Amino acid sequence: MLPDKEFPRFKAAAVQASPVFLDAAATARKAADLISEAAGNGARLIVFPEVFIPGYPYWSWITDPVTGSAWFEKLVRASVFLPGPEIETVCAAARANDAYVVIGVNERSPISLGALYNTLVFIGPDGAILGKHRKLVPTWAEKLTWTGGDGSTLKVYDTEIGPLGGLACGENTNTLARFSLLAQGELVHAASYISLPVAPPDYDMAEAIKLRGQSHSFEGKVFTIVSTSTISDEIITEMEKVRPDARALLERKSSAFSGIIGPDGRVVGDSLIDDEGIVYAEIDLARCIQPKQMHDIIGHYNRFDVFQLHLNTAPQSALATKPARQEADGAPEGDLPSSEPLHLDKLK
């Protein structure tokens, strides 16, 4: 919750960049450099693209599942555990620069070789991980890569710069997911995306990304920091190994947008389309007050006796265990003893 009568003002930064493809350690170092640059320009909140570490599975959109399977294995091997050394590099940069950071990663499951999560990591200015959000539903071809998260990671974090939440890419069109964050008091929203030039020819991806950010800001009367990745020549060259005409598919323009949207739905400051860079804007949370007098969908402009959203925040797991009762208690045959699962991060 915001302290009484205090409405933070700060500079936010949206990073538009490409990863060092399928190299988590190098991408983490690149992120650290970008954090230093953005903080050097006064940014207190720095938002990175979806699955920035170590990159996006473009092969799922340009080839068949069988061919893509070998690339899925490459992605698993390159992905990260949380906690782990790669995210610690990013945390150290946040700590050194006194900045909040939101960054997308491919997160490995600690118990399953075949499970990856599309995860946003929220990091505080002390370098500690505030929490993480696992994308609830992978979009379309992404189902070949990621498993879905659960409601336990759908959270808003109480920070010095205001109530902070975030969603990954297509789930920014999930009305109920967005409402669940707003209903927890969110005023600063991180929206992380990837550039996807393989959309239908008449689809303007950059405009679609911008529109989603404007929709969330206008409906919720919040600030949205939109960060989208770019597609480097390195990525295109790798994807040409999958499909010879990959360059024609992946070089399409107007495929990435990054910018900061105000509570009236308009872009604040500069924005970027396609090019790498960092955009900045001043955020004043007091600007959220007057728009909410008109439409406050988590307050007076709703009817909770008519509409109500239920959020299941229980973590979901593959195995539910219960302690075995002592023989003296007459435990029935078949009670399972509790056990700790093998953690795959020990197998790296």
Side-chain angles (χ1 to χ4, degrees):
M1 297 294 293
L2 288 173
D4 186 34
K5 297 183 180 178
E6 291 185 14
F7 300 96
R9 300 180 66 170
F10 62 95
K11 182 180 284 189
V15 173
Q16 185 157 288
S18 60
V20 182
F21 195 50
L22 299 186
D23 187 331
T27 304
R29 291 192 295 270
K30 180 173 182 176
D33 290 341
L34 289 166
I35 290 168
S36 296
E37 178 183 345
N41 286 317
R44 194 80 206 288
L45 170 64
I46 304 160
V47 178
F48 283 84
E50 179 185 29
V51 291
F52 190 66
I53 300 175
Y56 185 81
Y58 285 103
W59 55 85
S60 292
W61 296 91
I62 63 174
T63 191
D64 62 272
V66 175
T67 304
S69 184
W71 287 86
F72 173 78
E73 180 174 341
K74 291 181 181 182
L75 179 61
V76 169
R77 291 177 177 272
S79 295
V80 303
F81 291 101
L82 297 176
E86 299 86 1
I87 201 63
E88 178 51 40
T89 297
V90 181
C91 290
R95 181 169 55 249
N97 290 281
D98 191 33
Y100 288 91
V101 174
V102 182
I103 189 167
V105 305
N106 285 278
E107 179 194 1
R108 289 187 64 182
S109 165
I111 59 172
S112 172
L113 284 171
L116 288 179
Y117 296 97
N118 179 328
T119 300
L120 288 180
V121 185
F122 295 79
I123 302 167
D126 60 353
I129 294 177
L130 300 172
K132 64 184 180 183
H133 169 64
R134 289 171 169 172
K135 190 173 184 177
L136 295 172
V137 181
T139 305
W140 203 352
E142 293 174 355
K143 292 178 175 66
L144 292 167
T145 300
W146 298 307
T147 189
D150 59 46
S152 68
T153 70
L154 207 53
K155 294 181 179 179
V156 171
Y157 299 95
D158 187 13
T159 75
E160 294 174 346
I161 59 172
L164 172 65
L167 295 171
C169 200
E171 65 182 352
N172 284 284
T173 64
N174 187 325
T175 302
L176 300 185
R178 295 192 296 105
F179 184 85
S180 71
L181 295 180
L182 295 172
Q184 293 177 61
E186 182 188 59
L187 290 176
V188 183
H189 181 77
S192 294
Y193 290 85
I194 50 89
S195 174
L196 192 62
V198 297
D202 60 347
Y203 192 78
D204 188 325
M205 179 59 70
E207 187 63 24
I209 292 171
K210 177 182 176 183
L211 177 61
R212 293 171 188 178
Q214 291 175 310
S215 297
H216 187 65
S217 279
F218 187 81
E219 288 181 8
K221 316 308 180 193
V222 301
F223 285 90
T224 298
I225 296 87
V226 181
S227 170
T228 303
S229 61
T230 58
I231 300 180
S232 64
D233 191 71
E234 174 195 22
I235 293 172
I236 294 175
T237 299
E238 286 297 298
M239 290 303 95
E240 285 177 322
K241 298 175 184 177
V242 177
R243 182 167 166 171
D245 62 346
R247 184 169 296 275
L249 292 170
L250 297 176
E251 281 190 336
R252 180 173 154 193
K253 299 301 183 184
S254 198
S255 294
F257 168 89
S258 293
I260 297 164
I261 315 295
D264 58 1
R266 293 185 292 181
V267 175
V268 181
D270 296 328
S271 60
L272 278 172
I273 293 179
D274 294 337
D275 297 329
E276 285 213 6
I278 306 175
V279 290
Y280 303 89
E282 296 290 340
I283 289 181
D284 178 1
L285 292 190
R287 286 186 54 199
C288 300
I289 298 172
Q290 289 188 25
K292 280 183 176 288
Q293 185 182 21
M294 182 185 299
H295 301 126
D296 185 3
I297 61 173
I298 60 168
H300 64 81
Y301 203 69
N302 218 321
R303 286 286 303 276
F304 301 116
D305 57 331
V306 178
F307 307 111
Q308 193 173 69
L309 174 64
H310 294 266
L311 173 62
N312 180 7
T313 60
Q316 305 299 304
S317 62
L319 179 66
T321 63
K322 60 180 179 179
R325 281 177 270 174
Q326 299 296 321
E327 285 186 24
D329 293 337
E333 196 171 317
D335 268 17
L336 294 173
S338 62
S339 61
E340 288 294 325
L342 169 69
H343 281 258
L344 295 178
D345 56 349
K346 305 297 191 294
L347 303 180
K348 289 186 292 183

